[in-house]
Short mmCIF file of all heavy atoms in Angstrom, two decimals:
data_model
loop_
_atom_site.label_atom_id
_atom_site.label_comp_id
_atom_site.label_asym_id
_atom_site.label_seq_id
_atom_site.Cartn_x
_atom_site.Cartn_y
_atom_site.Cartn_z
N MET A 1 56.83 59.82 88.49
CA MET A 1 57.33 59.56 89.84
C MET A 1 56.76 60.59 90.80
O MET A 1 56.82 61.79 90.54
CB MET A 1 58.85 59.67 89.85
CG MET A 1 59.55 58.38 89.72
SD MET A 1 61.32 58.64 89.98
CE MET A 1 61.80 56.98 90.14
N ASP A 2 56.24 60.12 91.90
CA ASP A 2 55.65 61.02 92.87
C ASP A 2 56.48 61.00 94.16
O ASP A 2 55.94 60.88 95.26
CB ASP A 2 54.21 60.61 93.15
CG ASP A 2 53.44 61.71 93.83
OD1 ASP A 2 53.83 62.88 93.69
OD2 ASP A 2 52.46 61.40 94.52
N LEU A 3 57.77 61.08 94.01
CA LEU A 3 58.67 61.07 95.16
C LEU A 3 59.29 62.45 95.35
O LEU A 3 59.63 63.12 94.38
CB LEU A 3 59.77 60.03 94.95
CG LEU A 3 59.29 58.60 94.68
CD1 LEU A 3 60.45 57.72 94.29
CD2 LEU A 3 58.58 58.04 95.88
N TRP A 4 59.44 62.87 96.59
CA TRP A 4 59.93 64.22 96.85
C TRP A 4 61.39 64.39 96.44
O TRP A 4 61.83 65.49 96.15
CB TRP A 4 59.75 64.58 98.31
CG TRP A 4 60.57 63.72 99.24
CD1 TRP A 4 60.18 62.56 99.81
CD2 TRP A 4 61.91 63.95 99.66
NE1 TRP A 4 61.20 62.04 100.56
CE2 TRP A 4 62.27 62.87 100.50
CE3 TRP A 4 62.84 64.96 99.42
CZ2 TRP A 4 63.52 62.79 101.09
CZ3 TRP A 4 64.08 64.87 100.01
CH2 TRP A 4 64.41 63.81 100.83
N TYR A 5 62.17 63.32 96.41
CA TYR A 5 63.60 63.44 96.11
C TYR A 5 63.90 63.29 94.63
O TYR A 5 65.05 63.43 94.22
CB TYR A 5 64.41 62.43 96.91
CG TYR A 5 63.98 60.99 96.74
CD1 TYR A 5 64.43 60.24 95.67
CD2 TYR A 5 63.13 60.40 97.67
CE1 TYR A 5 64.05 58.94 95.51
CE2 TYR A 5 62.73 59.09 97.51
CZ TYR A 5 63.19 58.36 96.44
OH TYR A 5 62.81 57.07 96.27
N PHE A 6 62.91 63.04 93.79
CA PHE A 6 63.13 62.89 92.36
C PHE A 6 63.78 64.13 91.72
O PHE A 6 64.72 63.98 90.94
CB PHE A 6 61.81 62.53 91.66
CG PHE A 6 61.94 62.40 90.18
CD1 PHE A 6 62.65 61.35 89.62
CD2 PHE A 6 61.37 63.33 89.33
CE1 PHE A 6 62.78 61.22 88.25
CE2 PHE A 6 61.49 63.21 87.97
CZ PHE A 6 62.20 62.16 87.43
N PRO A 7 63.32 65.36 92.03
CA PRO A 7 63.97 66.54 91.43
C PRO A 7 65.46 66.64 91.77
O PRO A 7 66.27 67.03 90.91
CB PRO A 7 63.21 67.73 92.02
CG PRO A 7 61.93 67.18 92.49
CD PRO A 7 62.17 65.76 92.85
N PHE A 8 65.81 66.31 92.99
CA PHE A 8 67.21 66.40 93.41
C PHE A 8 68.06 65.32 92.72
O PHE A 8 69.21 65.55 92.38
CB PHE A 8 67.31 66.29 94.93
CG PHE A 8 66.49 67.34 95.63
CD1 PHE A 8 65.30 67.01 96.25
CD2 PHE A 8 66.90 68.66 95.63
CE1 PHE A 8 64.54 67.97 96.87
CE2 PHE A 8 66.14 69.63 96.25
CZ PHE A 8 64.96 69.29 96.87
N THR A 9 67.46 64.15 92.52
CA THR A 9 68.16 63.08 91.81
C THR A 9 68.44 63.50 90.37
O THR A 9 69.56 63.29 89.87
CB THR A 9 67.31 61.80 91.83
OG1 THR A 9 67.00 61.48 93.18
CG2 THR A 9 68.04 60.66 91.18
N VAL A 10 67.45 64.09 89.72
CA VAL A 10 67.65 64.55 88.35
C VAL A 10 68.71 65.64 88.29
O VAL A 10 69.57 65.65 87.42
CB VAL A 10 66.31 65.05 87.74
CG1 VAL A 10 66.53 65.71 86.39
CG2 VAL A 10 65.34 63.90 87.61
N GLY A 11 68.68 66.58 89.25
CA GLY A 11 69.68 67.63 89.30
C GLY A 11 71.09 67.10 89.48
O GLY A 11 72.04 67.57 88.84
N ILE A 12 71.24 66.10 90.33
CA ILE A 12 72.55 65.50 90.56
C ILE A 12 73.03 64.77 89.30
O ILE A 12 74.21 64.85 88.94
CB ILE A 12 72.51 64.56 91.78
CG1 ILE A 12 72.35 65.40 93.05
CG2 ILE A 12 73.75 63.70 91.86
CD1 ILE A 12 72.08 64.58 94.29
N ILE A 13 72.12 64.08 88.62
CA ILE A 13 72.49 63.38 87.39
C ILE A 13 72.94 64.36 86.33
O ILE A 13 73.96 64.14 85.64
CB ILE A 13 71.32 62.50 86.90
CG1 ILE A 13 71.12 61.33 87.85
CG2 ILE A 13 71.57 62.01 85.48
CD1 ILE A 13 69.86 60.54 87.60
N VAL A 14 72.21 65.47 86.18
CA VAL A 14 72.60 66.49 85.20
C VAL A 14 73.95 67.09 85.58
O VAL A 14 74.81 67.30 84.72
CB VAL A 14 71.52 67.59 85.11
CG1 VAL A 14 72.00 68.78 84.30
CG2 VAL A 14 70.26 67.02 84.49
N PHE A 15 74.17 67.37 86.86
CA PHE A 15 75.44 67.92 87.33
C PHE A 15 76.59 66.98 87.01
O PHE A 15 77.62 67.40 86.47
CB PHE A 15 75.37 68.18 88.84
CG PHE A 15 76.67 68.65 89.42
CD1 PHE A 15 77.08 69.96 89.27
CD2 PHE A 15 77.48 67.78 90.12
CE1 PHE A 15 78.28 70.40 89.79
CE2 PHE A 15 78.67 68.20 90.65
CZ PHE A 15 79.08 69.51 90.49
N LEU A 16 76.41 65.71 87.31
CA LEU A 16 77.48 64.74 87.04
C LEU A 16 77.73 64.57 85.55
O LEU A 16 78.89 64.48 85.12
CB LEU A 16 77.13 63.39 87.68
CG LEU A 16 77.17 63.35 89.20
CD1 LEU A 16 76.69 62.00 89.71
CD2 LEU A 16 78.56 63.66 89.72
N ALA A 17 76.65 64.55 84.76
CA ALA A 17 76.82 64.38 83.32
C ALA A 17 77.59 65.56 82.72
O ALA A 17 78.51 65.37 81.93
CB ALA A 17 75.46 64.23 82.65
N LEU A 18 77.22 66.78 83.10
CA LEU A 18 77.91 67.95 82.56
C LEU A 18 79.34 68.04 83.08
O LEU A 18 80.23 68.51 82.37
CB LEU A 18 77.13 69.23 82.91
CG LEU A 18 75.81 69.44 82.16
CD1 LEU A 18 75.10 70.67 82.68
CD2 LEU A 18 76.04 69.55 80.67
N SER A 19 79.56 67.58 84.31
CA SER A 19 80.92 67.60 84.85
C SER A 19 81.81 66.60 84.13
O SER A 19 82.98 66.88 83.85
CB SER A 19 80.90 67.27 86.35
OG SER A 19 80.20 68.26 87.06
N ILE A 20 81.27 65.43 83.82
CA ILE A 20 82.05 64.40 83.13
C ILE A 20 82.37 64.84 81.71
O ILE A 20 83.48 64.62 81.22
CB ILE A 20 81.30 63.05 83.16
CG1 ILE A 20 81.30 62.51 84.59
CG2 ILE A 20 81.92 62.06 82.20
CD1 ILE A 20 80.42 61.30 84.79
N ILE A 21 81.40 65.47 81.05
CA ILE A 21 81.64 65.95 79.69
C ILE A 21 82.77 66.98 79.69
O ILE A 21 83.66 66.94 78.86
CB ILE A 21 80.35 66.54 79.07
CG1 ILE A 21 79.35 65.42 78.83
CG2 ILE A 21 80.65 67.28 77.79
CD1 ILE A 21 77.98 65.90 78.43
N GLY A 22 82.73 67.91 80.65
CA GLY A 22 83.84 68.82 80.87
C GLY A 22 84.01 69.94 79.86
O GLY A 22 85.05 70.59 79.83
N LYS A 23 83.02 70.20 79.01
CA LYS A 23 83.15 71.26 78.02
C LYS A 23 82.74 72.63 78.56
O LYS A 23 82.97 73.64 77.91
CB LYS A 23 82.30 70.95 76.79
CG LYS A 23 82.80 69.79 75.97
CD LYS A 23 81.96 69.63 74.73
CE LYS A 23 82.49 68.48 73.88
NZ LYS A 23 81.71 68.31 72.65
N HIS A 24 82.10 72.66 79.73
CA HIS A 24 81.55 73.90 80.27
C HIS A 24 82.22 74.25 81.59
O HIS A 24 82.76 73.40 82.28
CB HIS A 24 80.04 73.75 80.48
CG HIS A 24 79.32 73.28 79.25
ND1 HIS A 24 79.15 74.06 78.15
CD2 HIS A 24 78.73 72.10 78.97
CE1 HIS A 24 78.48 73.40 77.24
NE2 HIS A 24 78.22 72.18 77.70
N ASP A 25 82.14 75.55 81.96
CA ASP A 25 82.69 75.95 83.24
C ASP A 25 81.69 75.63 84.35
O ASP A 25 80.55 75.29 84.11
CB ASP A 25 83.07 77.43 83.23
CG ASP A 25 81.89 78.33 82.92
OD1 ASP A 25 80.84 77.82 82.53
OD2 ASP A 25 82.04 79.55 83.09
N MET A 26 82.14 75.74 85.60
CA MET A 26 81.34 75.31 86.74
C MET A 26 80.09 76.16 86.92
O MET A 26 79.05 75.65 87.35
CB MET A 26 82.19 75.34 88.01
CG MET A 26 81.54 74.70 89.20
SD MET A 26 80.98 72.99 88.94
CE MET A 26 82.52 72.13 88.79
N THR A 27 80.14 77.44 86.59
CA THR A 27 78.96 78.29 86.72
C THR A 27 77.84 77.81 85.80
O THR A 27 76.68 77.72 86.21
CB THR A 27 79.31 79.76 86.38
OG1 THR A 27 80.38 80.17 87.21
CG2 THR A 27 78.12 80.66 86.58
N TYR A 28 78.17 77.49 84.57
CA TYR A 28 77.19 76.96 83.62
C TYR A 28 76.59 75.65 84.12
O TYR A 28 75.38 75.45 84.07
CB TYR A 28 77.88 76.75 82.27
CG TYR A 28 76.99 76.20 81.19
CD1 TYR A 28 76.20 77.05 80.42
CD2 TYR A 28 76.94 74.84 80.93
CE1 TYR A 28 75.39 76.56 79.42
CE2 TYR A 28 76.12 74.34 79.93
CZ TYR A 28 75.35 75.20 79.17
OH TYR A 28 74.55 74.70 78.20
N ILE A 29 77.43 74.78 84.64
CA ILE A 29 76.97 73.48 85.13
C ILE A 29 76.04 73.66 86.32
O ILE A 29 74.97 73.04 86.40
CB ILE A 29 78.17 72.59 85.50
CG1 ILE A 29 78.95 72.23 84.24
CG2 ILE A 29 77.73 71.34 86.23
CD1 ILE A 29 80.26 71.53 84.51
N LEU A 30 76.40 74.53 87.26
CA LEU A 30 75.57 74.75 88.44
C LEU A 30 74.24 75.40 88.08
O LEU A 30 73.20 75.06 88.65
CB LEU A 30 76.32 75.60 89.48
CG LEU A 30 77.48 74.89 90.17
CD1 LEU A 30 78.23 75.88 91.06
CD2 LEU A 30 76.97 73.72 90.99
N LEU A 31 74.25 76.35 87.15
CA LEU A 31 73.01 76.99 86.74
C LEU A 31 72.07 76.00 86.07
O LEU A 31 70.86 75.98 86.34
CB LEU A 31 73.28 78.17 85.81
CG LEU A 31 73.82 79.43 86.48
CD1 LEU A 31 74.18 80.48 85.43
CD2 LEU A 31 72.80 79.98 87.45
N TRP A 32 72.59 75.16 85.19
CA TRP A 32 71.75 74.18 84.51
C TRP A 32 71.19 73.15 85.49
O TRP A 32 69.99 72.88 85.48
CB TRP A 32 72.55 73.46 83.43
CG TRP A 32 72.30 74.05 82.08
CD1 TRP A 32 73.05 75.00 81.47
CD2 TRP A 32 71.22 73.76 81.20
NE1 TRP A 32 72.51 75.31 80.25
CE2 TRP A 32 71.38 74.57 80.07
CE3 TRP A 32 70.13 72.91 81.28
CZ2 TRP A 32 70.48 74.52 79.01
CZ3 TRP A 32 69.24 72.87 80.22
CH2 TRP A 32 69.43 73.67 79.11
N SER A 33 72.03 72.59 86.33
CA SER A 33 71.54 71.57 87.26
C SER A 33 70.59 72.17 88.30
O SER A 33 69.58 71.56 88.65
CB SER A 33 72.70 70.84 87.94
OG SER A 33 73.51 71.75 88.65
N GLY A 34 70.88 73.38 88.76
CA GLY A 34 69.98 74.04 89.70
C GLY A 34 68.66 74.41 89.07
O GLY A 34 67.60 74.24 89.69
N GLY A 35 68.69 74.89 87.85
CA GLY A 35 67.45 75.24 87.17
C GLY A 35 66.58 74.04 86.90
O GLY A 35 65.35 74.08 87.08
N ILE A 36 67.19 72.94 86.49
CA ILE A 36 66.42 71.71 86.24
C ILE A 36 65.86 71.17 87.54
O ILE A 36 64.71 70.72 87.61
CB ILE A 36 67.29 70.68 85.50
CG1 ILE A 36 67.53 71.18 84.07
CG2 ILE A 36 66.64 69.32 85.50
CD1 ILE A 36 68.49 70.34 83.28
N THR A 37 66.65 71.23 88.62
CA THR A 37 66.17 70.77 89.92
C THR A 37 64.97 71.60 90.37
O THR A 37 63.95 71.05 90.80
CB THR A 37 67.29 70.87 90.98
OG1 THR A 37 68.37 70.05 90.56
CG2 THR A 37 66.80 70.42 92.33
N LEU A 38 65.06 72.93 90.27
CA LEU A 38 63.94 73.78 90.67
C LEU A 38 62.72 73.55 89.78
O LEU A 38 61.58 73.55 90.27
CB LEU A 38 64.36 75.24 90.64
CG LEU A 38 65.32 75.67 91.74
CD1 LEU A 38 65.73 77.13 91.55
CD2 LEU A 38 64.69 75.48 93.11
N GLY A 39 62.94 73.37 88.50
CA GLY A 39 61.83 73.12 87.60
C GLY A 39 61.08 71.84 87.94
O GLY A 39 59.85 71.83 88.02
N PHE A 40 61.82 70.77 88.16
CA PHE A 40 61.18 69.51 88.53
C PHE A 40 60.53 69.60 89.89
O PHE A 40 59.46 69.02 90.12
CB PHE A 40 62.19 68.36 88.52
CG PHE A 40 62.34 67.71 87.18
CD1 PHE A 40 63.43 67.97 86.39
CD2 PHE A 40 61.39 66.83 86.72
CE1 PHE A 40 63.58 67.36 85.15
CE2 PHE A 40 61.52 66.21 85.48
CZ PHE A 40 62.62 66.49 84.70
N PHE A 41 61.13 70.35 90.83
CA PHE A 41 60.55 70.50 92.16
C PHE A 41 59.24 71.27 92.09
O PHE A 41 58.27 70.92 92.76
CB PHE A 41 61.54 71.19 93.09
CG PHE A 41 61.12 71.17 94.53
CD1 PHE A 41 61.07 69.97 95.22
CD2 PHE A 41 60.78 72.33 95.19
CE1 PHE A 41 60.68 69.94 96.54
CE2 PHE A 41 60.39 72.31 96.51
CZ PHE A 41 60.33 71.10 97.19
N LEU A 42 59.20 72.32 91.26
CA LEU A 42 57.95 73.07 91.10
C LEU A 42 56.88 72.21 90.44
O LEU A 42 55.70 72.28 90.83
CB LEU A 42 58.20 74.34 90.29
CG LEU A 42 58.97 75.44 91.01
CD1 LEU A 42 59.26 76.60 90.06
CD2 LEU A 42 58.20 75.92 92.22
N MET A 43 57.25 71.40 89.45
CA MET A 43 56.27 70.49 88.84
C MET A 43 55.75 69.49 89.88
O MET A 43 54.57 69.15 89.88
CB MET A 43 56.88 69.75 87.65
CG MET A 43 57.06 70.61 86.44
SD MET A 43 57.43 69.70 84.94
CE MET A 43 58.97 68.93 85.33
N TYR A 44 56.63 69.04 90.77
CA TYR A 44 56.21 68.11 91.83
C TYR A 44 55.22 68.78 92.77
O TYR A 44 54.20 68.20 93.12
CB TYR A 44 57.44 67.61 92.60
CG TYR A 44 57.10 66.95 93.90
CD1 TYR A 44 56.57 65.68 93.93
CD2 TYR A 44 57.32 67.61 95.11
CE1 TYR A 44 56.25 65.07 95.13
CE2 TYR A 44 57.00 67.01 96.31
CZ TYR A 44 56.47 65.73 96.32
OH TYR A 44 56.16 65.14 97.51
N LEU A 45 55.51 70.03 93.17
CA LEU A 45 54.62 70.73 94.08
C LEU A 45 53.27 71.01 93.45
O LEU A 45 52.23 70.85 94.08
CB LEU A 45 55.26 72.04 94.56
CG LEU A 45 56.44 71.89 95.51
CD1 LEU A 45 56.99 73.27 95.86
CD2 LEU A 45 56.04 71.16 96.76
N VAL A 46 53.26 71.44 92.19
CA VAL A 46 52.01 71.72 91.50
C VAL A 46 51.21 70.43 91.30
O VAL A 46 50.00 70.41 91.51
CB VAL A 46 52.28 72.42 90.16
CG1 VAL A 46 51.03 72.48 89.30
CG2 VAL A 46 52.83 73.81 90.40
N GLY A 47 51.87 69.36 90.95
CA GLY A 47 51.20 68.08 90.74
C GLY A 47 50.66 67.49 92.03
O GLY A 47 49.66 66.77 92.03
N ARG A 48 51.31 67.79 93.13
CA ARG A 48 50.87 67.26 94.41
C ARG A 48 49.60 67.94 94.91
O ARG A 48 48.78 67.33 95.58
CB ARG A 48 51.98 67.44 95.44
CG ARG A 48 51.82 66.59 96.68
CD ARG A 48 52.97 66.77 97.59
NE ARG A 48 52.84 68.08 98.23
CZ ARG A 48 53.50 68.44 99.31
NH1 ARG A 48 54.37 67.62 99.83
NH2 ARG A 48 53.33 69.62 99.84
N LYS A 49 49.44 69.21 94.58
CA LYS A 49 48.26 69.95 95.03
C LYS A 49 47.00 69.52 94.31
O LYS A 49 45.91 69.68 94.82
CB LYS A 49 48.47 71.44 94.85
CG LYS A 49 49.50 72.02 95.80
CD LYS A 49 49.67 73.50 95.61
CE LYS A 49 50.72 74.03 96.57
NZ LYS A 49 50.94 75.46 96.38
N ASN A 50 47.14 68.99 93.11
CA ASN A 50 45.95 68.61 92.33
C ASN A 50 45.42 67.28 92.73
O ASN A 50 45.74 66.37 93.11
CB ASN A 50 46.25 68.60 90.83
CG ASN A 50 46.47 70.01 90.33
OD1 ASN A 50 45.94 70.93 90.92
ND2 ASN A 50 47.20 70.15 89.26
#
């Protein structure tokens, strides 16, 4: 996917999935969803430059 909002969509999906599971505290959930969002966003930026 070469869409700018794809990383944020993935981050929101991860956030909702971890929230629904409910086994982790909010800090863990925010760190995981934020890290995945930033990772996908960086891959998007690097892929766009090539």
Side-chain angles (χ1 to χ4, degrees):
M1 264 187 167
D2 196 24
L3 304 172
W4 64 270
Y5 55 84
F6 179 69
F8 303 105
T9 305
V10 172
I12 290 171
I13 290 170
V14 170
F15 176 78
L16 290 175
L18 289 175
S19 296
I20 290 172
I21 291 171
K23 291 184 178 181
H24 307 290
D25 59 350
M26 190 55 69
T27 304
Y28 180 85
I29 293 171
L30 289 174
L31 285 175
W32 262 95
S33 59
I36 290 174
T37 300
L38 288 177
F40 272 103
F41 190 67
L42 288 175
M43 286 193 297
Y44 165 75
L45 289 178
V46 169
R48 197 177 74 163
K49 290 181 181 178
N50 291 334

